C-alpha cells in the first residue's frame, strides 16, 4: 500500500503544464527579445498585445471580485492595465490607441478570456494563474533585459514589469499556490482548470508566433502597429 500523500493541486497543475510552459518560453520571439536582437518596434508590438489581453483579463477580474471561488485571486497589486497604458504612451505617444491594433491571434486570445473568464470561476483562475505567475517569474527577467537593451533604465516603457506593491515576488507566488491548494474543487472543476491553462498556453504561443515577424529570420505577418 502506498502511503505517499497526494501532491497538492498546485504541484499537479504545474507538472501537467510543464511542457506547454517550456514550449511557450522557448518561442523564437522571446529568445530574440531577451537577446537584444529586436528593434524598439519589435518590443512595442509586444506591449500592444499585452494591453489587449490584460484589458480582457482585468475586466473579467472585476466580474469575479466577489465570487466565492475566484474572488480570492483578484488582487489590485497585480493590476497591469494602467502600467501598460503608461508604457504605450511613453513608447508610441499619447495617440497610441489610434495607431496600434492587436494581431488576430491576440484578438482570439482576448476573446477566449472574455468568453469564459467572466462566468466560470475555475477558467478565470486558469487565465489569471497563467498570466500573472508568469509575470512574476520570467516576466521580471524579461523586464530587466528589455530595460537594458533599449535604455529604459528609468522605468519608462517597462512599468508593466514593475510590481511596486509586491516587494517579495517569491513569497507572493508561494502564497498564490497555497490559495490554489486550498480550493475545494471537484474532479471536473480541476480538469476544467487544467484544460483552460493549456488553452491559455496555446493562445500565448500563437501570439508569440505572430510577433516572430520582428525576428530577423521570422515569418512575415501583417503589421500590428500602423
Amino acid at each position: 500500500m502506498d502511503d505517499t500523500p497526494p501532491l497538492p493541486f498546485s504541484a499537479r497543475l504545474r507538472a501537467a503544464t510543464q511542457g506547454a510552459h517550456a514550449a511557450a518560453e522557448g518561442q523564437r520571439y522571446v529568445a530574440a527579445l531577451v537577446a537584444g536582437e529586436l528593434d524598439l518596434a519589435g518590443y512595442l508590438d509586444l506591449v500592444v498585445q499585452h494591453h489587449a489581453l490584460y484589458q480582457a483579463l482585468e475586466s473579467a477580474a472585476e466580474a469575479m471580485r466577489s465570487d466565492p471561488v475566484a474572488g480570492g485571486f483578484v488582487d489590485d497589486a497585480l493590476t497591469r492595465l494602467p502600467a501598460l497604458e503608461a508604457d504605450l504612451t511613453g513608447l508610441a505617444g499619447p495617440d497610441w490607441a489610434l495607431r496600434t491594433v492587436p494581431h488576430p491571434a491576440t484578438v482570439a486570445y482576448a476573446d477566449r478570456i472574455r468568453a469564459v473568464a467572466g462566468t466560470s470561476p475555475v477558467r478565470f483562475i486558469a487565465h489569471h494563474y497563467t498570466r500573472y505567475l508568469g509575470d512574476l517569474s520570467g516576466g521580471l527577467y524579461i523586464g530587466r533585459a528589455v530595460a537594458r537593451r533599449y535604455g529604459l533604465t528609468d522605468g519608462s516603457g517597462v512599468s508593466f514589469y514593475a510590481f511596486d506593491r509586491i516587494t517579495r515576488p517569491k513569497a507572493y507566488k508561494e502564497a498564490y499556490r497555497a490559495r490554489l491548494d486550498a480550493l475545494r474543487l471537484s474532479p471536473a472543476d480541476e480538469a476544467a482548470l487544467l484544460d483552460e491553462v493549456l488553452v491559455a498556453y496555446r493562445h500565448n504561443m500563437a501570439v508569440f508566433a505572430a510577433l516572430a515577424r520582428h525576428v530577423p529570420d521570422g515569418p512575415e505577418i501583417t503589421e500590428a502597429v500602423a
Side-chain angles (χ1 to χ4, degrees):
M1 184 176 179
D2 187 359
D3 294 327
T4 304
L7 286 174
F9 176 59
S10 63
R12 287 184 281 122
L13 180 62
R14 191 173 186 179
T17 59
Q18 188 172 13
H21 178 88
E25 283 194 334
Q27 293 292 299
R28 180 72 180 102
Y29 173 84
V30 179
L33 179 66
V34 172
E37 298 175 5
L38 308 180
D39 59 17
L40 187 59
Y43 169 60
L44 170 61
D45 203 358
L46 174 65
V47 186
V48 172
Q49 312 317 309
H50 276 161
H51 182 269
L53 295 176
Y54 284 85
Q55 194 171 45
L57 182 57
E58 292 178 1
S59 176
E62 287 305 312
M64 285 291 167
R65 189 178 288 274
S66 60
D67 183 86
V69 175
F73 293 86
V74 179
D75 183 354
D76 291 339
L78 292 170
T79 301
R80 297 292 84 202
L81 206 54
L84 285 165
E85 291 175 354
D87 288 343
L88 285 165
T89 298
L91 293 167
D95 62 342
W96 62 266
L98 300 176
R99 299 191 296 109
T100 62
V101 59
H103 289 295
T106 304
V107 174
Y109 189 175
D111 285 347
R112 176 64 184 185
I113 293 172
R114 291 189 183 94
V116 302
T119 56
S120 169
V122 294
R123 293 186 186 272
F124 166 77
I125 292 169
H127 286 283
H128 194 275
Y129 163 85
T130 305
R131 294 241 52 103
Y132 291 117
L133 255 64
D135 296 336
L136 289 168
S137 298
L140 297 181
Y141 171 72
I142 290 172
R144 290 191 293 269
V146 167
R148 289 193 301 270
R149 165 65 177 87
Y150 302 109
L152 305 173
T153 52
D154 63 350
S156 174
V158 289
S159 55
F160 168 76
Y161 300 100
F163 289 83
D164 296 335
R165 295 170 60 182
I166 300 177
T167 57
R168 299 170 59 207
K170 182 179 179 182
Y172 189 95
K173 289 186 294 181
E174 289 172 351
Y176 190 106
R177 294 188 183 103
R179 288 198 294 276
L180 285 172
D181 295 336
L183 291 171
R184 296 182 178 274
L185 300 178
S186 67
D189 282 340
E190 286 193 7
L193 201 158
L194 169 59
D195 174 70
E196 197 64 29
V197 170
L198 294 174
V199 169
Y201 276 125
R202 288 196 294 271
H203 277 294
N204 203 35
M205 284 187 284
V207 172
F208 284 141
L211 288 166
R213 63 173 297 280
H214 294 284
V215 181
D217 59 352
E220 288 296 326
I221 295 180
T222 303
E223 290 278 353
V225 181

